[in-house]
Amino acid sequence: MPKSDSKKPSEVWKLLLLLIMAGTAVLVLPVSAANKPFVTIAAQGAGSYYLGEDVILAGMNSDTGSTYLYITGPTLPESGGKLTSPEQKTVNGNADTFTVVSTKTDKTWKYSWYTAGLVLDAGSYTVYAVSKPYFGDQLADTPYGTTSIIIKKPFITAALSPTPVVKGQPFHVTGTAEGNIPHVKVWIIGDNYVYTTITPVNIDDNFTFTADAALSEKLPAGQNYLFVQHPMQDNQFDIDISGDYVRNIKLNNGTNLFKITGTGSLQGSDAADALIAAFSSVEARDDTYTVIPFKVTGAGSSTAQPTGIPGDTTASTPYRTQNLPFLFIPVGGLLLVLGIVLWKRH
């Protein structure tokens, strides 16, 4: 017992020494970190954004009075690109090839990055914040920080029911428009006919457009085209109708693309093809769309058939009733056999 007790003071001193060393390390590390220049960056929100959203980037820069930003990711230059024009590659030492943000007196910086109209694919990207206009190997001796973000492209889906549309009978268009937008634009194009309207989008991203009997009665018989246009995050329809023309409001501050009503206007499939080309233009890349070709048949008193069933609904009824008698053959045969067995036993 005395031998065991003699070790206790040394054990206590060892424990005390460890505590002193740990405490010294805790005190020394923050001082060392504080004396070393640093740059930080963070993106406000969940880190996933629709193309067209305003992304808030912020951080600290204890090294210099300016913070230099650039981005790397899918289809961008290997060295990275300027935030305001990602296709423009960064050049070491050239501040003009970076997005430059002033560092405040409290060493913080903040930048609002508007992504509408940028040439960015959906995917994962890395945004760099650097105390000097450097990238790559030059970052080894330069304070910098990074943050990862995901860019998504809003999409739109739509379905029309019933089909085919019957003149004088209501029909419905339902769909989903992602991106937290207030409304979509519905276009209907046919021979010597064009119709547009704005339809609200619900908080769950779903929308419904109902065409009443009066509207469907006006549709031309034959092939028609339904477009639903998504304005993207700027909530502006870049392709619109002005008078007799379809107009790109961004091209040269507004340019008529083709005539859609009146003498000499494009009709039917020609108008639909021209509208698709308008949506696909570089100036209108903020907008996206979906298109549904559909047929208009019959008269106002006809009944449209459910979506997905080809042919005339009245033709299927006799076909089914002709097969019904055959369902009773096995039952009749069974009753006949039972009758014969009972008769023989009797």
Side-chain angles (χ1 to χ4, degrees), residues 7-26:
K7 288 185 177 181
K8 287 183 178 180
S10 63
E11 296 293 338
V12 172
W13 280 109
K14 287 180 181 179
L15 179 60
L16 184 59
L17 182 60
L18 287 173
L19 290 174
I20 293 172
M21 292 173 63
T24 303
V26 170

Side-chain angles (χ1 to χ4, degrees), residues 225-312:
Y225 301 87
L226 171 81
F227 289 82
V228 186
Q229 181 182 1
H230 188 307
M232 302 290 270
Q233 298 309 125
D234 62 357
N235 294 323
Q236 175 180 275
F237 296 109
D238 298 331
I239 303 298
D240 208 345
I241 289 183
S242 177
D244 290 336
Y245 290 87
V246 169
R247 186 175 179 83
N248 185 329
I249 66 172
K250 283 191 172 180
L251 182 60
N252 298 325
N253 295 320
T255 301
N256 291 336
L257 302 178
F258 65 93
K259 197 172 186 181
I260 198 168
T261 58
T263 304
S265 60
L266 297 181
Q267 301 296 317
S269 61
D270 291 336
D273 290 344
L275 187 57
I276 290 173
F279 285 136
S280 303
S281 65
V282 173
E283 294 79 14
R285 63 179 171 227
D286 269 358
D287 289 5
T288 189
Y289 71 97
T290 187
V291 56
I292 303 175
F294 69 98
K295 292 288 184 69
V296 176
T297 63
S301 60
S302 302
T303 301
Q305 74 172 59
T307 302
I309 302 178
D312 187 34

Side-chain angles (χ1 to χ4, degrees), residues 303-306 308-324:
T303 301
Q305 74 172 59
I309 302 178
D312 187 34
T313 53
T314 58
S316 60
T317 304
Y319 177 79
R320 290 195 295 267
T321 56
Q322 286 174 2
N323 286 335
L324 290 178

Side-chain angles (χ1 to χ4, degrees), residues 43-74:
Q44 179 178 302
S48 181
Y49 312 91
Y50 285 108
L51 188 62
E53 280 191 88
D54 196 9
V55 182
I56 306 300
L57 301 170
M60 296 189 70
N61 178 358
S62 68
D63 189 32
T64 59
S66 296
T67 304
Y68 300 85
L69 307 177
Y70 69 96
I71 184 171
T72 62

Side-chain angles (χ1 to χ4, degrees), residues 16 23-24 36 42 44 51 67 74 80 83 101 106 108-109 130 157 167 192 197 241 244 262 272 308 315 339:
L16 184 59
T24 303
K36 184 177 181 180
Q44 179 178 302
L51 188 62
T67 304
L83 291 188
V101 185
D106 62 356
T108 64
W109 63 268
V130 191
T157 63
K167 289 177 70 67
N192 294 306
T197 188
I241 289 183
D244 290 336

Side-chain angles (χ1 to χ4, degrees), residues 12-295:
V12 172
W13 280 109
K14 287 180 181 179
L15 179 60
L16 184 59
L17 182 60
L18 287 173
L19 290 174
I20 293 172
M21 292 173 63
T24 303
V26 170
L27 292 172
V28 169
L29 285 176
V31 173
S32 300
N35 290 334
K36 184 177 181 180
F38 64 91
V39 175
T40 64
I41 179 174
Q44 179 178 302
S48 181
Y49 312 91
Y50 285 108
L51 188 62
E53 280 191 88
D54 196 9
V55 182
I56 306 300
L57 301 170
M60 296 189 70
N61 178 358
S62 68
D63 189 32
T64 59
S66 296
T67 304
Y68 300 85
L69 307 177
Y70 69 96
I71 184 171
T72 62
T75 72
L76 297 185
E78 186 177 352
S79 62
K82 193 174 184 177
L83 291 188
T84 51
S85 50
E87 68 278 8
Q88 178 184 341
K89 69 177 182 179
T90 55
V91 177
N92 268 323
N94 186 346
D96 292 338
T97 62
F98 293 75
T99 297
V100 186
V101 185
S102 296
T103 305
K104 299 178 182 178
T105 54
D106 62 356
K107 305 303 181 181
T108 64
W109 63 268
K110 185 177 181 180
Y111 180 70
S112 183
W113 182 35
Y114 194 47
T115 63
L118 298 182
V119 184
L120 290 174
D121 290 335
S124 179
Y125 293 83
T126 300
V127 181
Y128 287 73
V130 191
S131 65
K132 298 175 183 177
Y134 295 144
F135 69 88
D137 295 339
Q138 296 287 340
L139 296 180
D141 300 317
T142 306
Y144 74 97
T146 66
T147 187
S148 295
I149 64 171
I150 295 175
I151 295 294
K152 303 182 295 183
K153 287 190 175 181
F155 72 91
I156 185 167
T157 63
L160 185 150
S161 180
T163 57
V165 172
V166 177
K167 289 177 70 67
Q169 297 294 323
F171 62 91
H172 308 278
V173 179
T174 57
T176 301
E178 285 194 337
N180 301 318
I181 58 170
H183 45 235
V184 294
K185 187 169 187 174
V186 175
W187 301 61
I188 300 177
I189 294 176
D191 288 334
N192 294 306
Y193 183 83
V194 61
Y195 170 85
T196 62
T197 188
I198 302 297
T199 297
V201 176
N202 301 325
I203 194 170
D204 60 359
D205 292 338
N206 294 322
F207 64 88
T208 300
F209 164 69
T210 299
D212 59 18
L215 175 59
S216 71
E217 183 66 43
K218 297 177 182 178
L219 297 179
Q223 187 68 60
N224 286 258
Y225 301 87
L226 171 81
F227 289 82
V228 186
Q229 181 182 1
H230 188 307
M232 302 290 270
Q233 298 309 125
D234 62 357
N235 294 323
Q236 175 180 275
F237 296 109
D238 298 331
I239 303 298
D240 208 345
I241 289 183
S242 177
D244 290 336
Y245 290 87
V246 169
R247 186 175 179 83
N248 185 329
I249 66 172
K250 283 191 172 180
L251 182 60
N252 298 325
N253 295 320
T255 301
N256 291 336
L257 302 178
F258 65 93
K259 197 172 186 181
I260 198 168
T261 58
T263 304
S265 60
L266 297 181
Q267 301 296 317
S269 61
D270 291 336
D273 290 344
L275 187 57
I276 290 173
F279 285 136
S280 303
S281 65
V282 173
E283 294 79 14
R285 63 179 171 227
D286 269 358
D287 289 5
T288 189
Y289 71 97
T290 187
V291 56
I292 303 175
F294 69 98
K295 292 288 184 69

